[in-house]
Amino acid sequence: MLQYQDLNPQLLAAEYAVRGVLTQRAQELEQKGRQIIYCNIGNPHTFLQKPISYVREILSLVEYPELINHQHKSQLFHSDSIKRAREILSYIPEGTGAYSTTMGIEFIRRAVADFIQKRDNIFSDFKRIILTDGASEAAQMVITAIIKSPTDGILVPIPQYPLYNASLKLRGGASIAYYLDEDNGWQLDEQALETSITQARGNGITAKAITVINPGNPTGAVLSYSNIQMIIRFAQKYNLSIMADEVYQENIYNPKHTFHSFAKVMHDMQINDVSLFSFHSMSKGYFGECGHRAAYFEIRNVPDDAFSQLVKLKSINLCANVTGQIATYLMVTPPNPGEESYPVYLAEKQAILNDLREKSIIIGEELNKIPGISVNSPDGAMYAFVKLELPEHMMEIAKSTNSNLDEMYCLALLEETGICVVPGSGFGQKPGTLHFRMTFLPAKDQIINLINQLKSFHLKFTQ
Amino acid sequence: MLQYQDLNPQLLAAEYAVRGVLTQRAQELEQKGRQIIYCNIGNPHTFLQKPISYVREILSLVEYPELINHQHKSQLFHSDSIKRAREILSYIPEGTGAYSTTMGIEFIRRAVADFIQKRDNIFSDFKRIILTDGASEAAQMVITAIIKSPTDGILVPIPQYPLYNASLKLRGGASIAYYLDEDNGWQLDEQALETSITQARGNGITAKAITVINPGNPTGAVLSYSNIQMIIRFAQKYNLSIMADEVYQENIYNPKHTFHSFAKVMHDMQINDVSLFSFHSMSKGYFGECGHRAAYFEIRNVPDDAFSQLVKLKSINLCANVTGQIATYLMVTPPNPGEESYPVYLAEKQAILNDLREKSIIIGEELNKIPGISVNSPDGAMYAFVKLELPEHMMEIAKSTNSNLDEMYCLALLEETGICVVPGSGFGQKPGTLHFRMTFLPAKDQIINLINQLKSFHLKFTQ
């Protein structure tokens, strides 16, 4: 019989905190009847954020095409939804039930390329776009492709979404941590990057790539144009590929900030010898369609023979789920002004983004009022990475017992209030600092209530 | 910039013939206007096999729940479809757009366990069922978990569906080939297994598991009860886990054969110290819903601590696509007699299976009439693994030029007739033998026509 010690040590070493100890305990409590507020994961629809209607109208029609010609169709669906479902099925008469080609359905990849072209005003080649089951799959594919040996590493931010470290451990590569600058709105710091890569070299580790998450998870930071320029120059200097996790590109709340894609900035810099993998997904933004595992990644500056190896890797899984591929198509081709469903679409989109914006402001303002708690007000994404200052004696005890004080704090918070957040140690943090990540997806009044509960808890805990 | 030689050599070494050279050439020809008959892949809906209606009615309703309460709903959907969509959404009010828990939605896993329990009359634990994006993902998860080093290997059949060898190469494990017995209807042969494992040991390779595909891909064979008993005893003797690929369990055409699951046979033998991973999917059977990437795997005889590592592995990808999870639910809970959609369901199911049965018989009878071509009539699955006898001088030339004669044959067949099949070398075959795999999914008259074309081609090619 297979035993624990028979398993791949790389798997045993991988950690994925977003679904770790806290979540397990929360589920246990929930089964005992406790009400849990899940702030641990960016899963908008669990907070009953409604899906964008035109997406679901069209998915419904392509799943059951009999509806398209039904006599009552115009009472059921907007006219442009029917038209678009017809258009989709004209490209794939076999429907949602057939494997697509490996990279994904061609007209969808063409639409993705058009979307990038419009967004950035630069050329995008649909032959370099691969549709995937979520952006996590895409990131793992790149890591699988570029890690050759345990001395190969990838620069990953601290704090970071733990997908990257987990996947690196799983593939037997080294994670080269670089610290984001909390005092400078979680931007990247060139000196910190240089320090990390130099230290890695000292340890015999060769950096092959750098991962950047923009807007940031868990930080909520939006990188400035010049910060991205610096990163690209750094990647060029050290011959690093760039893995640009841009899944929160629609989630920017502070009007002072704009999303700049790595593709666009690299194009502006006229750099074409830095390999770029950029990920986008329908799970975030105002769609929040996590369950559909709908995503794409665009590959730039990779020679044909290397690129074809990524395609082969994807082919072993055959193709991304087709309903998700169609969802991705709908993400990149929303209704146009003048179309029947446009006003509904616009109202739904704005309501969701305005609500998130308001909550990002509340989080930023109210959390900073609690003594011992501080946070960079999230300009983007769906998270705040909240800093804790705990009394000296607690820090000492934690140090001497070698225990994770942030995990203890989060567990106590969960037991006391039912609020489920993720300890900072799950994302990494500067030694000696303590954090937790929380989403601000719950409804506004729930968020306000939650902050009050957190405040009471924190005061009690620190006494 | 990333170069070919920078890539993971394990990725470079992986081969996946089902989407290899032949498919690429077929796509090129198609773009030039040639009509191609794709017999290379088991993708039923591309042959316009219609999806089973109740599946699509319900998927349509859960994607767009507004339809459930629409005044015209009963003109659009069967009453039991509406009832079941309501039931599904009562379990997951967040709908298809939210991540589920890692292993999959609980009521669906419970339904899968009930399905196994009913099928085999044995207990199945829903806590040991994981829903995945296709069975390929499940197989890759197991391989990732159990391969520790390049001296770890897995026994894989020759011929085999190339997923297994490709995944093993990718994870840096060794593939230990065992030959299926063509002269004995492609059953497994104990002596062949012993020979393979002994040779592997001689080469310093430790076998960790054995992969068995039943019904067989590419062989179309259905394993007998006693053959499965032999395999389980063999696995017990050498402490091997069993990976049972049972995705074709509904595709059995010869009434002399029955599907016996490994779980059932192992239960009958009262063996509970052999770890078993069994895979099932909605891509095959009479559903053919490949595009939904809907599958599950059941894990038996694995201790909790080892099992939880598989869950962690899945958690890095968050969860299987939720529409696919619901599709899996519908696979394991078809309509019941007395429900409104039952007669339609039954008629659709029987039409598809009868059609496949007729075609399996045609393939078996007609191909064997062509001189130099022979085949074990496929009792199950969707494929025939066809044996070629080519003139001695061709075999000699191929040997001396070190070229794949079967690939040359298949390419010539494609160029001449537009028929796309996969060379036997993509699945493995006994040295000195030549084969190709073809599906019998095209329409019956197309199959008959195709056999005639193949006959003319073969006579011409061998002259």
Side-chain angles (χ1 to χ4, degrees):
Chain A
M1 190 151 74
L2 189 68
Q3 300 295 335
Y4 182 86
Q5 60 271 22
D6 297 328
L7 297 178
N8 179 353
Q10 294 169 192
L11 171 59
L12 300 182
E15 280 177 37
Y16 189 66
V18 173
R19 298 208 158 184
V21 178
L22 265 288
T23 321
Q24 281 160 32
R25 180 64 188 145
Q27 284 169 357
E28 279 169 29
L29 289 172
E30 197 173 29
Q31 273 167 9
K32 287 181 190 155
R34 278 289 294 280
Q35 212 210 324
I36 304 296
I37 308 169
Y38 284 103
C39 296
N40 61 314
I41 194 160
N43 197 3
H45 292 201
T46 49
F47 297 98
L48 303 183
Q49 174 186 307
K50 273 196 62 184
I52 299 286
S53 300
Y54 85 93
V55 172
R56 297 307 192 85
E57 288 186 34
I58 295 169
L59 291 185
S60 173
L61 286 161
V62 296
E63 287 290 10
Y64 190 48
E66 276 71 3
L67 295 174
I68 292 180
N69 298 313
H70 197 275
Q71 52 168 327
H72 297 305
K73 62 179 180 291
S74 45
Q75 289 171 52
L76 300 163
F77 302 100
H78 289 97
S79 59
D80 51 324
S81 297
I82 297 169
K83 197 174 141 218
R84 295 189 63 198
R86 279 216 180 94
E87 182 209 356
I88 292 167
L89 293 171
S90 76
Y91 285 112
I92 49 162
E94 65 275 22
T96 57
Y99 296 125
S100 73
T101 53
T102 299
M103 291 167 67
I105 299 166
E106 184 174 313
F107 83 90
I108 298 179
R109 291 185 294 123
R110 287 182 185 270
V112 170
D114 286 348
F115 164 83
I116 295 169
Q117 206 147 340
K118 266 187 215 148
R119 182 192 69 195
D120 290 342
N121 198 25
I122 59 174
F123 175 72
S124 169
D125 181 359
F126 79 94
K127 291 183 185 135
R128 293 305 177 98
I129 285 161
I130 301 180
L131 306 182
T132 54
D133 288 311
S136 302
E137 186 198 9
Q140 289 179 70
M141 282 173 65
V142 176
I143 292 171
T144 298
I146 66 180
I147 295 296
K148 292 174 84 162
S149 82
T151 58
D152 285 344
I154 297 181
L155 284 148
V156 292
I158 297 295
Q160 67 155 303
Y161 179 57
L163 162 70
Y164 296 96
N165 265 352
S167 306
L168 270 166
K169 280 264 166 63
L170 198 56
R171 304 306 167 208
S175 142
I176 307 170
Y178 67 84
Y179 289 108
L180 297 173
D181 189 354
E182 186 164 15
D183 299 331
N184 185 24
W186 297 115
Q187 301 285 303
L188 276 74
D189 175 63
E190 189 166 6
Q191 196 45 56
L193 292 176
E194 292 283 358
T195 305
S196 296
I197 206 165
T198 309
Q199 278 179 354
R201 282 186 169 183
N203 296 327
I205 305 294
T206 311
K208 305 294 290 284
I210 178 168
T211 295
V212 186
I213 310 172
N214 177 43
N217 176 2
T219 64
V222 181
L223 298 185
S224 69
Y225 192 93
S226 62
N227 207 241
I228 296 172
Q229 284 180 310
M230 179 277 288
I231 298 162
I232 294 171
R233 274 193 307 267
F234 177 82
Q236 193 179 37
K237 178 175 169 190
Y238 290 105
N239 191 24
L240 305 177
S241 297
I242 296 176
M243 296 175 66
D245 181 337
E246 300 178 331
V247 301
Y248 295 98
Q249 60 188 262
E250 299 279 2
N251 298 99
I252 296 185
Y253 312 115
N254 183 338
K256 286 184 205 147
H257 293 282
T258 314
F259 169 70
H260 306 287
S261 78
F262 272 81
K264 167 68 172 162
V265 178
M266 203 182 278
H267 176 268
D268 293 350
M269 294 167 80
Q270 296 183 296
I271 286 179
N272 49 28
D273 61 352
V274 174
S275 300
L276 173 65
F277 304 91
S278 52
F279 312 115
H280 191 23
S281 144
M282 210 195 186
S283 300
K284 312 301 171 183
Y286 45 95
F287 294 102
E289 292 279 6
C290 307
H292 280 103
R293 316 305 298 117
Y296 73 81
F297 70 124
E298 192 202 24
I299 295 99
R300 286 176 183 258
N301 307 329
V302 171
D304 287 351
D305 54 0
F307 175 74
S308 69
Q309 293 296 314
L310 275 175
V311 178
K312 183 178 72 181
L313 179 56
K314 179 66 210 165
S315 79
I316 301 173
N317 264 334
L318 296 158
C319 64
N321 85 86
V322 170
T323 309
Q325 292 188 35
I326 294 170
T328 297
Y329 175 64
L330 299 175
M331 172 178 79
V332 297
T333 60
N336 294 306
E339 288 179 322
E340 203 186 13
S341 60
Y342 182 74
V344 181
Y345 157 70
L346 198 67
E348 290 174 337
K349 169 181 169 175
Q350 286 178 341
I352 291 167
L353 290 177
N354 285 339
D355 180 56
L356 284 169
R357 179 175 296 115
E358 284 180 40
K359 293 186 290 194
S360 75
I361 294 168
I362 294 171
I363 285 281
E365 286 179 355
E366 297 303 318
L367 285 182
N368 281 317
K369 289 182 188 162
I370 306 174
I373 286 189
S374 61
V375 66
N376 272 315
S377 184
D379 295 323
M382 307 178 162
Y383 314 100
F385 201 57
V386 182
K387 191 174 185 177
L388 298 170
E389 307 271 358
L390 296 183
E392 200 64 34
H393 71 276
M394 286 190 177
M395 307 286 275
E396 291 301 327
I397 293 168
K399 216 184 235 170
S400 65
T401 58
N402 212 6
S403 50
N404 275 343
L405 188 51
D406 56 355
E407 192 171 291
M408 285 163 57
Y409 181 95
C410 294
L411 276 168
L413 176 69
L414 174 65
E415 301 284 345
E416 186 85 10
T417 64
I419 301 170
C420 180
V421 299
V422 187
S425 46
F427 306 91
Q429 51 200 346
K430 269 203 173 152
T433 68
L434 295 169
H435 299 78
F436 63 81
R437 184 189 84 163
M438 62 175 288
T439 70
F440 43 90
L441 288 168
K444 200 163 45 172
D445 54 346
Q446 219 176 356
I447 288 273
I448 292 168
N449 186 26
L450 184 156
I451 293 172
N452 287 330
Q453 284 183 284
L454 174 64
K455 188 175 171 179
S456 313
F457 166 80
H458 183 78
L459 294 177
K460 213 164 118 190
F461 187 85
T462 50
Q463 263 159 20
Chain B
M1 188 151 75
L2 189 69
Q3 301 295 335
Y4 183 85
Q5 60 270 22
D6 298 327
L7 297 177
N8 179 352
Q10 294 170 192
L11 172 59
L12 300 181
E15 279 178 39
Y16 189 67
V18 175
R19 297 207 158 185
V21 178
L22 265 288
T23 321
Q24 281 159 34
R25 180 65 187 146
Q27 284 168 357
E28 279 169 28
L29 289 172
E30 197 172 30
Q31 273 166 8
K32 286 180 190 157
R34 278 290 293 280
Q35 212 209 323
I36 304 296
I37 307 169
Y38 284 102
C39 296
N40 60 313
I41 193 160
N43 197 4
H45 291 201
T46 51
F47 297 98
L48 304 184
Q49 173 185 309
K50 271 195 64 185
I52 299 287
S53 299
Y54 85 92
V55 172
R56 297 307 191 86
E57 287 185 35
I58 295 169
L59 290 185
S60 173
L61 285 162
V62 295
E63 287 289 12
Y64 190 48
E66 276 73 2
L67 296 174
I68 291 179
N69 297 315
H70 197 275
Q71 54 168 325
H72 297 306
K73 62 179 181 293
S74 46
Q75 290 172 51
L76 300 163
F77 302 100
H78 289 96
S79 59
D80 52 323
S81 297
I82 296 169
K83 197 175 141 219
R84 295 188 64 198
R86 277 216 183 95
E87 181 209 357
I88 293 167
L89 292 172
S90 76
Y91 285 113
I92 49 162
E94 64 275 21
T96 58
Y99 295 125
S100 74
T101 52
T102 298
M103 291 166 68
I105 299 165
E106 184 174 313
F107 83 90
I108 298 179
R109 291 185 293 123
R110 286 183 186 270
V112 170
D114 286 348
F115 165 83
I116 295 168
Q117 207 147 338
K118 267 187 216 149
R119 183 191 68 195
D120 290 343
N121 197 25
I122 60 174
F123 174 71
S124 169
D125 181 359
F126 80 93
K127 290 182 185 139
R128 293 305 176 99
I129 285 160
I130 301 180
L131 306 181
T132 53
D133 288 311
S136 302
E137 187 199 9
Q140 288 179 71
M141 281 172 65
V142 177
I143 293 171
T144 298
I146 66 181
I147 294 296
K148 292 174 84 163
S149 82
T151 57
D152 284 345
I154 297 181
L155 283 148
V156 293
I158 297 294
Q160 66 157 303
Y161 178 58
L163 163 69
Y164 296 96
N165 265 351
S167 306
L168 270 166
K169 280 261 167 66
L170 199 55
R171 304 304 167 210
S175 142
I176 307 169
Y178 67 86
Y179 289 108
L180 297 173
D181 189 354
E182 186 163 15
D183 298 332
N184 185 24
W186 296 116
Q187 300 285 302
L188 276 74
D189 176 61
E190 189 166 6
Q191 196 45 59
L193 292 177
E194 292 283 358
T195 305
S196 296
I197 207 165
T198 309
Q199 278 179 355
R201 281 185 170 185
N203 297 326
I205 305 294
T206 312
K208 307 293 291 283
I210 178 168
T211 294
V212 186
I213 310 172
N214 177 43
N217 176 3
T219 64
V222 181
L223 297 185
S224 70
Y225 191 93
S226 62
N227 208 241
I228 295 173
Q229 284 180 310
M230 178 277 287
I231 297 162
I232 293 170
R233 275 193 306 268
F234 177 82
Q236 193 179 37
K237 177 174 170 190
Y238 290 105
N239 191 23
L240 306 176
S241 298
I242 297 176
M243 296 175 66
D245 181 338
E246 302 179 329
V247 301
Y248 295 97
Q249 60 189 261
E250 300 279 2
N251 298 100
I252 297 186
Y253 312 116
N254 184 337
K256 286 184 206 149
H257 292 280
T258 315
F259 170 70
H260 306 287
S261 78
F262 272 81
K264 168 70 172 159
V265 179
M266 203 181 277
H267 176 268
D268 292 351
M269 295 168 79
Q270 296 182 293
I271 286 180
N272 50 27
D273 61 351
V274 174
S275 301
L276 173 65
F277 305 91
S278 51
F279 312 116
H280 192 23
S281 144
M282 211 195 186
S283 301
K284 312 300 170 185
Y286 45 94
F287 294 101
E289 292 280 6
C290 308
H292 280 103
R293 316 306 297 113
Y296 73 81
F297 70 125
E298 192 202 25
I299 295 98
R300 285 177 183 257
N301 306 330
V302 171
D304 287 351
D305 54 358
F307 175 74
S308 70
Q309 294 297 313
L310 275 175
V311 178
K312 182 177 73 180
L313 179 55
K314 179 66 207 164
S315 79
I316 301 174
N317 265 334
L318 297 158
C319 64
N321 85 86
V322 170
T323 309
Q325 292 189 35
I326 295 171
T328 296
Y329 175 65
L330 299 174
M331 172 178 80
V332 296
T333 60
N336 294 307
E339 289 179 320
E340 202 187 14
S341 60
Y342 182 75
V344 181
Y345 157 72
L346 197 67
E348 290 175 338
K349 170 181 169 174
Q350 287 179 340
I352 291 167
L353 290 178
N354 285 338
D355 180 58
L356 284 169
R357 179 176 295 116
E358 285 181 38
K359 292 186 292 194
S360 74
I361 295 168
I362 294 172
I363 284 281
E365 287 179 354
E366 298 303 319
L367 285 182
N368 280 318
K369 289 181 187 163
I370 306 175
I373 285 187
S374 61
V375 67
N376 273 315
S377 184
D379 295 323
M382 307 179 163
Y383 315 100
F385 200 59
V386 182
K387 190 173 186 177
L388 299 169
E389 306 271 358
L390 296 182
E392 201 64 37
H393 70 277
M394 285 191 176
M395 306 286 274
E396 291 300 327
I397 292 169
K399 215 183 238 170
S400 66
T401 59
N402 211 3
S403 50
N404 275 342
L405 187 52
D406 56 354
E407 190 172 292
M408 284 164 58
Y409 181 95
C410 294
L411 275 169
L413 177 68
L414 174 66
E415 301 283 344
E416 186 86 7
T417 64
I419 300 169
C420 181
V421 298
V422 188
S425 46
F427 306 90
Q429 51 199 345
K430 271 203 172 152
T433 68
L434 295 169
H435 298 78
F436 64 81
R437 184 190 83 163
M438 63 174 288
T439 71
F440 43 91
L441 289 167
K444 196 161 50 171
D445 53 346
Q446 220 177 357
I447 289 272
I448 293 168
N449 186 26
L450 185 157
I451 293 173
N452 286 331
Q453 283 184 286
L454 174 63
K455 187 175 173 180
S456 313
F457 167 80
H458 184 79
L459 294 177
K460 214 166 117 189
F461 187 85
T462 50
Q463 264 161 20

